[in-house]
Structures are given as structure tokens and as C-alpha cells.
Amino acid sequence: MTSGLPALQERVERLLSAAPELAQTGDALALLGEFLDALERGELRAASRAADGSWHAVPWVKRAILHGFRVGTIVDMTARGEHGASMFPFFDKSTYPPRRLSLEDGVRIVPGGSAIRRGAYLAPGVVCMPPMYVNVGAYVGAGTMVDSHALVGSCAQIGERVHLSAAAQIGGVLEPVNAAPVVIENDVLVGGNTGVYEGTIVRERAVLAAGVVLTRGTPVFDLVNETVYRGDAERPLEIPAGAVVVPGARAVRGGWAAEQGLALQTPVIVKYRDEKTDVATALEAWLR
């Protein structure tokens, strides 16, 4: 946290406790803009990593983001071409327009209908393939690729050199403010049509194969270590570093379901990352 951020936090928290009519003043909206600028520079984050590797929400940051929604009004944000012709009509909160990037930001956005919301951080070297979406409060680390139809939800934390493959869905969370968002650490490969939700933490260098779905209540069976990973009311689901997770199934035992041969979806860790895995996942680096 830079030296000016404690003062920014103090000013924002005073604003959050002020009377509602004061939130609409020019000074209050300017402070909100200053707060969103700090998020976009990566100086503020909606979650932080402790020395022991645990991740925790930063409640005041999430409260301030929610405040921005409350004080915003619906305005016309339609993108227009020559002579004022409507190209992409849309209407959203005045406080959260699309983020304006420049060539100096070092982010590659391929044409085709992608959107990055105000208050999201994208590091230099991020590649955005159309169409994709990054929501407010999200953090996307250097060298990461956000592929077509991928979503980075509000406050989600994405590390460096991550590949979010086509149609990957990284869930967001604003409420409750103490709830930690989804975290994808460095060098993770998230396969196509994969969903990661409800504060799940995917540790560095893990590989999620196409179609894996992870939630707080999802049991993940580790065939290597012969154990089961689960989240609970106090802790999120965590995928270990270097784990290779594929879609699996487990039989439903007993009664009519067993007679029908039914099974439940269950992610399975079949191995841990090795040189062979690195070769299989290296191709996408050529696209950066």
C-alpha cells in the first residue's frame, strides 16, 4: 500500500458514514473517482494475501465499490461512430462507465466487443480476446490472457501469466463485504467452459481442464494423495499448487438413483504438474 492510501481510506470511510445527501456532492463524487483510479493503478485491491498464503477480503474497498453503485444514476453510454451513429447501445450507472485505456497502459485488446469496467486493474501485457468482460474491483496480473467469452467477476483476483480459456467464468462477489472473492494465482491454466465460484482459491501453476466447475460445496478428490478437498462455512475450497484437475463423476449409492446408474459431477485431481504438463500448456504463450 502506497503512502497516500491510508489517508484515502480514511477519507472514503468518512464518506461512507456521511448522510446520504452528502454522497451526491461534487467533492464526494470526485473522491469516488480518486478511489477508482487507485484500483485501476493496482495500488488498491479488494483482497490481500497474508504472509501464510491465506487470502482475505478488504471490506472497506468493497463497501466503497457498493457505494458507487448506490450513488450512480442510469445514463446513456452508447458508443457512437461517425455522424453520431449508434454502434453499441447500452445504459449503465454513471459511476461505472467502461474503463478508458490507452496505448501506454500496455494492454492488448483485440477488436470485437470486449468491455472493461471502471475500477478494474489490468497489468501491462494482459491480452483480451473478444468478446470478454472484466468487472469492477477485479485485478488481472501481467501477462495474463482473458480469452473469448471469458468473465472476470467483480473483485476477482487473477495472477500473472494466467490463461482464462474461452468461456471460462470466474465468479465475482461484492456482498457480504467480508467474503473473499475468487483467487486464481500465478501461472494457472483455466480450461474452456470452466467455472470457478464462491471464493474458491486456485493455487499457483494448477491446471483446470475444460468443463471443471468449482464451488465452495464441491468435493474435489485427489487421487495422488488419496484425500478430499472441501470448503465449508468458514473456509473456501482450495485447489493445491500444481494440481491437474479434470471433470469426474461418482456413483450415487442406494435406492432408485443407484438402480438408474446415476452419478454426480465431481472434479478429480489426477496428477500434479510436471514437464509433460508444461509442454502441453505452453502453446498459448505464442498468442501473447
Side-chain angles (χ1 to χ4, degrees), residues 44-251:
L44 275 182
R45 296 179 67 167
S48 62
R49 191 178 193 270
D52 63 359
S54 60
W55 285 86
H56 305 276
V58 182
W60 78 269
V61 170
K62 296 175 71 177
R63 284 197 300 269
I65 293 173
L66 288 167
H67 169 79
F69 283 105
R70 285 193 294 269
V71 301
T73 57
I74 303 296
V75 297
D76 186 349
M77 296 183 183
T78 299
R80 301 186 186 277
E82 289 188 56
H83 311 298
S86 174
M87 297 174 63
F88 301 104
F90 62 99
F91 312 90
D92 200 2
K93 289 294 184 102
S94 57
T95 43
Y96 290 115
R99 183 180 165 188
R100 295 183 180 276
L101 293 167
S102 68
L103 196 61
E104 288 70 29
D105 289 303
V107 177
R108 178 182 165 200
I109 303 178
V110 179
S114 297
I116 300 163
R117 206 172 201 174
R118 180 94 160 92
Y121 172 73
L122 278 72
V126 170
V127 178
C128 301
M129 301 298 291
M132 48 68 67
Y133 186 72
V134 179
N135 209 345
V136 59
Y139 182 103
V140 183
T144 286
M145 174 175 282
V146 185
D147 219 331
S148 302
H149 297 281
L151 164 71
V152 181
S154 54
C155 299
Q157 305 290 296
I158 311 297
E160 299 180 355
R161 299 172 301 279
V162 172
H163 188 163
L164 301 180
S165 300
Q169 304 290 291
I170 308 302
V173 59
L174 280 172
E175 294 182 289
V177 293
N178 290 317
V182 172
V183 175
I184 309 292
E185 293 189 340
N186 295 345
D187 299 298
V188 169
L189 173 63
V190 179
N193 290 297
T194 293
V196 187
Y197 308 107
E198 297 178 353
T200 296
I201 298 173
V202 181
R203 295 295 185 182
E204 61 184 19
R205 302 186 74 250
V207 176
L208 306 182
V212 168
V213 177
L214 302 173
T215 70
R216 186 177 292 267
T218 303
V220 178
F221 289 76
D222 187 337
L223 303 186
V224 178
N225 296 310
E226 298 184 351
T227 190
V228 182
Y229 302 105
R230 303 175 187 266
D232 55 35
E234 302 298 326
R235 299 176 303 168
L237 172 67
E238 287 195 26
I239 301 301
V244 179
V245 188
V246 303
R250 55 177 175 154

